[in-house]
Amino acid sequence: MSPKFEIKYIEIQWYDEQTVTKVIESEYSLRITFNEESQDYECETTIYPNADGFLGQLAIRVLDDNATPPHINMPSGEVKYLEEIKDKDTGRLWWIEKDTWDEKNTYWRHSGVNTAGMLNLSIAGQRCHVNIGSMDFSFEQLNNYLDSFKNDLWELILDESSSIQTNKMDSAFGINKDAIDCIKQLVGHAQKILESPKGELREVQELRPRKAVRPVNRTFMELVSKPNQRFLTSRASTPTYNVPENRYVLFALKRCYRIIKQIRTLSENKSKRYLNTVSKLQGQLSSFRPTVTINRDLVVADLERLKVRCNIKYWQAKLAERLALNNINLYKKTNLHSVLRIKTEKVSTNNLSGEKDGFFIKVVDNKDWSQPNDNFTFLKFLRGNYDLTSCLEPYSEYELVGKFTCSQSARANFYNIIELAEIRIISTPGFEIARSNYRKEFQLGKTLNENSWQRALTTKEIEEQEKEKAAINNRIEFYSKNQELAAYVWEKIAPKERMLLTLIKKLKSLNIKEASHFPNSMTFVQNPNYQGIHNGYRKLRDLTHLTDEDILVSLEKVDAMGLVNMPLLYERWCLLQIIIVLKEAFRFRLQKDWKHRIIEAVGAKKKDIQIALANTETKRFITLTYEKTLTNRRIPDYIIDLVWFADSDTNDEYPQKKRFVMDAKFYDRRTFQRFDGLSGVVHNLSKTKDYSEQDENPVFIIHPCKDAIPHRVTAQDWGETSYLGEIPYSDGRIQGNHDSGGIYLSPIDSKLYTDELQRLLGLFLQYKLEEMNTKSSDRSDDRTSAVPFCIRCGSSDLQVKSKSNNTRFGNPISRTHRSVWMQCNDCNHFMSFNHCNQTNTRLIKNGTYWTYHSARAIEPFNIKCPKCGEWGAW
């Protein structure tokens, strides 16, 4: 069902309160979706009460000319009709709200569509709910978004190779010594052309003394009508420089100037960005101390979670969930039922089929645990009867209520369940561990409280800190070199840009009009300066990869964009950041025709725009789709379809697939609150709108709100602004396991910038692409089947440092014998692969900064299992 209207931001220039002089439309309409549950249309927009100068106004265009005027359904029950204006250029009719006329600023104020909340519209017989958010950005901050968007787009187009892959001082985002020399030569040729520009003598008529006259027809008329005139009209000539050769030169120089200006801007921005990165890394380095400050609130929150697990009712509820999941139906308890108290040991396996068919158990005999006749004792689950292998835990005590039979052989006792009415947990390892951990944590908390929540680092923590320092020092050196390179390019380009602008102004002062047509005259053969301009223009485009005229024209259109639809601008800015992080941080190479596709994504009205990226070293291949339509007709902003091959698949014969979904939400804190918090927004997208496609896809939102997380759940710094599904969320709507969450991303914040996005994409590419249970893996250790890579720099050049943690006597610790430690040969970053002792869930530790699993509050160098919330086998 399609809407009979569109809603768009327009800028209206008024002559007076009745007359419109001009209507400027934003390029895109608001995205309108149909809610099948309420049978209404919905869309979202944002207002900026603190951004003076933001002139966009929400307007409605009805596609049915015969429809009644649209109106607002006011909360009071009244109806407020919108008023019509006409765009003189296009003839389009728009409906807007007119509240009060502002005589000073000559525009109509509009309160209803400029107030945060929900706007209920009736348009052409259809209802539409417009959810209006409010952002506390100034006009300058909004312009930062726009400038960042334009600069990042230019940077992507200009930069064919990733700077992260090279330390060479002769190349920066596609700009090398050849490009700098080309610009220098262009300026030199332009200067010489201005010294002696090609010109022509054009015949004109002017008054001259009678004796110097070269007569024209008008001269004879003047001699007859004015015989005594001292000055008569004469044929004359005047030099002109507005010739085809100069018109083309002006065109070429203006195009070159745009490119050079952008190179200068990008090199300056890159220099500042790398300088900020170095400063940020130095800040991380200086923050390391021999002591650590513990977050009291997180410790209390952890204790509360542990306290819940210390209650046997918690474990009884978990057992009930497993019984329901396995379709175990219980009988009603009767007097004929007896109680069998057992202690489970390891799971037993059928010798013939190899299937799990029960448990080794002990039973109570005179209050003591025993095995009758000292024989092996089994609780067997016969085919078609109760199969509790997935419900009961090993090494746990249970009371079973029901009917049982017991049989014996020469070497074994067999208990079989005939009817089962109830299972009561007496004790289970998780319960005992929780009680033990709670006592320990509580005591540690008391000690920390006495020491003002400070404690000294352990020897192991100091070792990890030193590894982190080595990696940070490596990156400081790397980004310092890149900053020097960007600064070098800026220093060389900036003076030439100013000189070229001056030369263009001088050419214009000669009344030369630019023209793109190349005249192909002998001037460009005989005059080396004209030839140099033509060849230099072509060479500069080659060196900056701008040979495609359509791309250059499209970039110029983007440069002319203004601030109108900020949520859409943020959406497209996020798309650029995703591509940049994949390219720069994770070394993916953009595949054929990518420039046109990026231009289409940021400048066209098309959907399902696909951009292909590949990293052959890590054997990962991505199709990034902007506004892809899912099979359920939902349209998330970004979908990453990943095809990957196992490290052991040497011939790449067995492709495996995984999908990740992301959505940009330009929300502030109040908007999040209106949608019931970050978890409410994520739950709506993942479950209600089914972006997860029946829980198959991880779903994350990207937002610019620092206050989206009301209560942080992890000790890492990023936990203040982002939630990566590292443990179950407090309100229970997000179950952890890194399946959903939200990250903070804003160009205004130079401290974090794209680190949050890099961590999220690293989580996707490193962790969520395969089964997380290491017991179900074909590997003998905890490493991923996929090629491991460094989340800090993207390199797959890693060396295995250790396959286990050893005691001081050199013996492996049994509970971590599957662990693997690796170090990146490019940046010295350490990572380790381990597993949770409770659930066998894989854990990947990427140092204190880049790890996406939750850190323990009381021990920040340790991490928790994203599935159960317990800390693993560290």
Side-chain angles (χ1 to χ4, degrees), residues 474-499:
N474 178 287
R475 292 296 89 184
I476 288 175
E477 181 182 357
F478 171 79
Y479 284 112
S480 295
K481 287 181 179 178
N482 277 275
Q483 189 275 327
E484 292 172 13
L485 177 56
Y488 170 80
V489 173
W490 180 82
E491 289 169 3
K492 293 294 183 181
I493 297 295
K496 302 301 180 187
E497 180 209 356
R498 292 192 294 269
M499 292 171 66

Side-chain angles (χ1 to χ4, degrees), residues 583-648:
K583 178 174 173 286
E584 294 289 324
F586 297 125
R587 309 193 183 195
F588 279 82
R589 295 189 180 277
L590 289 147
Q591 301 303 288
K592 61 181 181 179
D593 204 29
W594 62 272
K595 291 183 181 179
H596 284 100
R597 293 187 180 276
I598 289 176
I599 294 292
E600 279 184 350
V602 301
K605 299 180 182 180
K606 298 179 182 178
K607 295 180 180 177
D608 289 332
I609 298 174
Q610 296 183 348
I611 299 167
L613 304 98
N615 186 325
T616 54
E617 285 75 20
T618 62
K619 303 207 293 190
R620 289 166 172 85
F621 303 88
I622 284 174
T623 300
L624 170 62
T625 310
Y626 178 61
E627 294 192 336
K628 181 181 180 71
T629 304
L630 298 173
T631 54
N632 57 21
R633 295 187 298 170
R634 299 294 186 179
I635 307 176
D637 291 333
Y638 327 104
I639 288 181
I640 291 179
D641 285 309
L642 175 68
V643 175
W644 62 279
F645 297 89
D647 197 4
S648 58

Side-chain angles (χ1 to χ4, degrees), residues 167-233:
N167 280 330
K168 296 178 181 178
M169 290 299 289
D170 62 349
S171 177
F173 50 91
I175 308 305
N176 52 26
K177 188 176 182 298
D178 289 340
I180 294 172
D181 289 343
C182 177
I183 293 167
K184 181 179 178 181
Q185 291 165 9
L186 267 169
V187 172
H189 290 309
Q191 287 173 326
K192 289 178 181 177
I193 286 175
L194 267 170
E195 291 173 5
S196 180
K198 177 180 173 61
E200 292 179 352
L201 290 175
R202 296 278 174 87
E203 184 177 295
V204 295
Q205 294 179 4
E206 63 181 26
L207 292 176
R208 285 190 176 182
R210 294 175 70 96
K211 292 184 178 181
V213 166
R214 296 170 59 196
V216 293
N217 292 338
R218 185 181 180 85
T219 310
F220 297 107
M221 292 175 62
E222 290 174 351
L223 286 170
V224 172
S225 61
K226 301 175 182 179
N228 298 320
Q229 189 81 7
R230 293 178 56 194
F231 291 90
L232 299 172
T233 300

Side-chain angles (χ1 to χ4, degrees), residues 644 767-774 776-777 784 842 867:
W644 62 279
Y767 190 75
K768 287 295 289 183
L769 73 173
E770 61 184 285
E771 169 62 47
M772 294 184 293
N773 190 311
T774 57
S776 63
S777 170
T784 54
R842 179 179 289 108
K867 187 171 185 179

